[in-house]
Amino acid sequence: MTGLLTEAASLGRDEMLASDRPDRMVWPDRTWEWASLRPENGTFECEGSLDVETKDRWFVQAIVASPALFRLAVGQGSLYWLGLNDAADANLDGGWT
């Protein structure tokens, strides 16, 4: 059972990383691909549905292919910080500079 589940996990990962969607390519004569196929929102929603393939691919690229993505120590992988509030603890507003 362990061997079967290990093989299934490997095949599933490979399938989520591979995509033959034509909209993934930035230019037809290059190999550059868009990191996210749903740039209009962060929820992977399109008109009347959810783009599950894109959501799965983003998850694999961000989490599975980069296991160090969420390490909290400098020098051990990717380190991302998020600032949502100003010095007075008020929510930041993108409409203001």
Side-chain angles (χ1 to χ4, degrees), residues 38-94:
R38 297 250 62 96
E40 67 273 17
N41 63 58
T43 59
F44 305 98
E45 295 172 4
C46 41
E47 192 172 329
S49 67
L50 182 66
D51 192 337
V52 178
E53 180 184 354
T54 300
K55 189 173 185 176
D56 287 347
R57 185 180 168 112
W58 176 254
F59 173 80
V60 169
Q61 289 174 324
I63 308 301
V64 178
S66 180
L69 182 66
F70 293 110
R71 291 191 180 151
L72 300 179
V74 175
Q76 293 186 7
S78 301
L79 181 61
Y80 296 91
W81 292 317
L82 178 63
L84 300 175
N85 298 57
D86 64 14
D89 204 30
N91 291 333
L92 294 175
D93 182 347

